[in-house]
Amino acid sequence: ITRAARGDLNGAVREYRIALGLDPDNARAHYNLGNALMGRRDLAGAIREYQHAIRIDPRLVHAHSNLGAALFQAGDTRGGILKFREAIRIDPGFADAHYNLCYALKVIGDLDGEIRSCRRVLRIDPKDPRAHGVMGEGLISRGDFRGAGQSLKRCLELLPAGSPAQGYAVSLSRRAERMSILDANLLRILSGEVEPADAAERIALG
């Protein structure tokens, strides 16, 4: 087990730097050092190491994706999104890069891009709870409350027990359910199927 796997990030940084002193053109060592520095929240150092790894091995797809994450966290939104797209170009089946792009597009408010990217993640890995969750949130914003409810239900089924994300997913799921009831009752009113007062009573009961 490596020091990084044991949570000893300072020890991992020292070991990777020693390794690079012996073999400075080892792309994987630069990448691993970047990961350890990310774990220490040293974004500038992580960015430098990921860039070095990519200069040595331009097809090291995880380095592109992690560089995107570091840039995004450092406030370079455009640079982060470009690196996620580059990782996807190198490996179209790399689900984590698609998810990172999905989340980045959510943050900048590109709803259509967010939902498209989530769907790509789920085509690669239908059991990714993160993508189901972000998809559900996006579908709520789009007004597709039934679809949101389905995505969020699947998210909750797939999340490991005790996950910190469970509470948020539950609240979103309940919101989607309430909005779906409101939406259905509004359609009934507009179609003349029920009177507004009857619909209001149904909403209260829901």
Side-chain angles (χ1 to χ4, degrees), residues 104-123:
L105 294 174
K106 170 186 178 294
V107 170
I108 66 171
D110 181 352
L111 181 59
D112 289 341
E114 169 195 340
I115 291 172
R116 271 196 311 274
S117 291
C118 280
R119 286 184 172 140
R120 286 172 185 144
V121 176
L122 294 171
R123 280 199 293 270

Side-chain angles (χ1 to χ4, degrees), residues 102 135 168 198:
C102 163
M135 170 78 86
Y168 185 56
D198 294 334

Side-chain angles (χ1 to χ4, degrees), residues 1-9 12 16:
I1 299 174
T2 65
R3 287 181 182 272
R6 294 198 304 267
D8 181 6
L9 295 174
Y16 293 134

Side-chain angles (χ1 to χ4, degrees), residues 163-187:
S163 167
Q166 275 185 320
Y168 185 56
V170 167
S171 68
L172 281 177
S173 183
R174 289 174 178 165
R175 179 182 170 198
E177 185 179 0
R178 288 195 302 270
M179 295 303 294
S180 184
I181 293 169
L182 289 168
D183 213 28
N185 282 318
L186 178 58
L187 287 173

Side-chain angles (χ1 to χ4, degrees), residues 64-144:
H64 285 280
S65 187
N66 287 11
L67 174 56
L71 290 169
F72 197 83
Q73 290 180 37
D76 184 356
T77 303
R78 181 174 178 276
I81 288 173
L82 286 173
K83 294 312 296 180
F84 298 144
R85 293 191 190 280
E86 178 65 10
I88 292 165
R89 186 192 67 77
I90 295 168
D91 181 1
F94 185 22
D96 279 350
H98 283 285
Y99 175 76
N100 286 342
L101 178 60
C102 163
Y103 187 81
L105 294 174
K106 170 186 178 294
V107 170
I108 66 171
D110 181 352
L111 181 59
D112 289 341
E114 169 195 340
I115 291 172
R116 271 196 311 274
S117 291
C118 280
R119 286 184 172 140
R120 286 172 185 144
V121 176
L122 294 171
R123 280 199 293 270
I124 299 164
D125 181 5
K127 293 186 177 182
D128 189 323
R130 306 167 304 169
H132 282 290
V134 175
M135 170 78 86
E137 195 169 4
L139 291 174
I140 288 175
S141 299
R142 182 178 271 183
D144 180 359

